[in-house]
Amino acid sequence: MNKFYRFSIFALATLSIVILLNTSPALAQEGANAQGFAPQIWLKNALEWINNQGAVGGIAFMLLYIVAAVAFLPGSILTLGAGVVFGVFLGSVYVFIGATIGAIAAFLVGRYIARGWVAKKIAGNQKFAAVDNAVGKEGLKIVLLTRLSPVFPFNLLNYAYGVTGVSLKDYILGTIGILPGTIMYVYLGSLAGNIATIGTGEQPSNPTVVWAIRIIGFIATVAVTLYVTKVARKALEESTSISVSEASRDSDIQ
């Protein structure tokens, strides 16, 4: 068991390094890219329109980010675009607000549409129920760590956490973990100076910021892997111990 545990950690850590080193910052938090539809182009056009809306542009941008989070559209384009349209400070504020509200909306969809089905499925399996309960109790730490890592897709996590036992309060507090990455990506976007160059090879970059994102992401990925594995293993051991105790008690009664 220990050998398998160490091998799993090593394999995931290696995979994380490969992903972090080969993923462009412009693609780091994308959820999905549907065939036959170019969301990047659509979002860039929306950014161009927002750029001409003056004072209401910020509100329009946050509404667009909420829709993108729920609809699995690539939020990285909007995050980078915020740096071009609003600058680093306001861009970071608008992205954080829009992403947080969008994440909550997606979480609630996952919670009230899929959670009931999952709860019924694990109700008869004591081990799965124990792990789900343990993850729910440690929700704040787990959500915070996964939000710090670009390896975990932002949009997908929003729905996934809704299916788990993580409380809404812990989920919201843990989502603060997107803030460092948000500021860094908005800053990288501000270097572009032009919406058309966002997400392309022509976009200016800052190697120091890029490597900072990769290093933070790697550390967070390894940390959350170790922590979740520890929590799950402890929950399984406790579940097994309870099962043995109950079986022994039933045997004594008989």
Side-chain angles (χ1 to χ4, degrees), residues 2 53 203:
N2 288 333
Q53 299 311 303
Q203 179 184 333

Side-chain angles (χ1 to χ4, degrees), residues 230-250:
K230 177 183 177 181
V231 169
R233 186 171 61 176
K234 182 179 179 181
L236 287 173
E237 289 174 351
E238 291 177 351
S239 174
T240 302
S241 177
I242 292 173
S243 298
V244 172
S245 297
E246 291 178 347
S248 177
R249 186 178 62 232
D250 292 340

Side-chain angles (χ1 to χ4, degrees), residues 5-229:
Y5 170 72
R6 291 171 185 171
F7 175 76
S8 299
I9 299 302
F10 175 76
L12 186 54
T14 303
L15 178 61
S16 300
I17 294 174
V18 173
I19 293 175
L20 288 166
L21 292 179
N22 290 280
T23 300
S24 168
L27 304 175
Q29 294 182 0
E30 291 186 10
N33 189 357
Q35 293 182 351
F37 172 62
Q40 292 90 344
I41 296 176
W42 186 82
L43 291 174
K44 285 183 181 182
N45 290 336
L47 285 169
E48 292 284 5
W49 178 82
I50 288 173
N51 196 26
N52 297 319
Q53 299 311 303
V56 298
I59 297 175
F61 175 84
M62 288 185 285
L63 291 174
L64 177 60
Y65 213 113
I66 293 170
V67 172
V70 175
F72 273 89
L73 296 178
S76 59
I77 296 295
L78 295 178
T79 303
L80 293 166
V84 178
V85 178
F86 304 109
V88 178
F89 178 73
L90 282 180
S92 298
V93 172
Y94 292 152
V95 168
F96 181 71
I97 294 175
T100 300
I101 296 176
I104 293 172
F107 174 89
L108 293 175
V109 170
R111 174 58 50 92
Y112 291 106
I113 291 181
R115 175 62 184 172
W117 179 81
V118 173
K120 290 179 181 179
K121 289 295 182 181
I122 67 176
N125 190 314
Q126 192 173 21
K127 290 185 178 180
F128 278 121
V131 172
D132 181 63
N133 183 54
V135 170
K137 290 180 179 178
E138 301 295 334
L140 176 57
K141 296 176 184 177
I142 294 173
V143 174
L144 183 62
L145 288 171
T146 53
R147 290 308 195 189
L148 287 169
S149 174
V151 170
F152 300 95
F154 178 75
N155 291 340
L156 181 60
L157 277 183
N158 296 336
Y159 284 97
Y161 278 125
V163 177
T164 69
V166 175
S167 69
L168 178 60
K169 177 184 176 181
D170 285 346
Y171 176 77
I172 294 174
L173 292 175
T175 299
I176 294 175
I178 69 172
L179 195 54
T182 293
I183 296 173
M184 290 181 181
Y185 279 96
V186 172
Y187 167 70
L188 289 176
S190 70
L191 298 179
N194 190 328
I195 293 175
T197 62
I198 293 175
T200 67
E202 300 176 2
Q203 179 184 333
S205 184
N206 185 320
T208 302
V209 174
V210 171
W211 274 103
I213 292 173
R214 289 171 173 170
I215 292 172
I216 292 174
F218 171 71
I219 293 173
T221 301
V222 173
V224 73
T225 301
L226 291 170
Y227 192 71
V228 171
T229 302

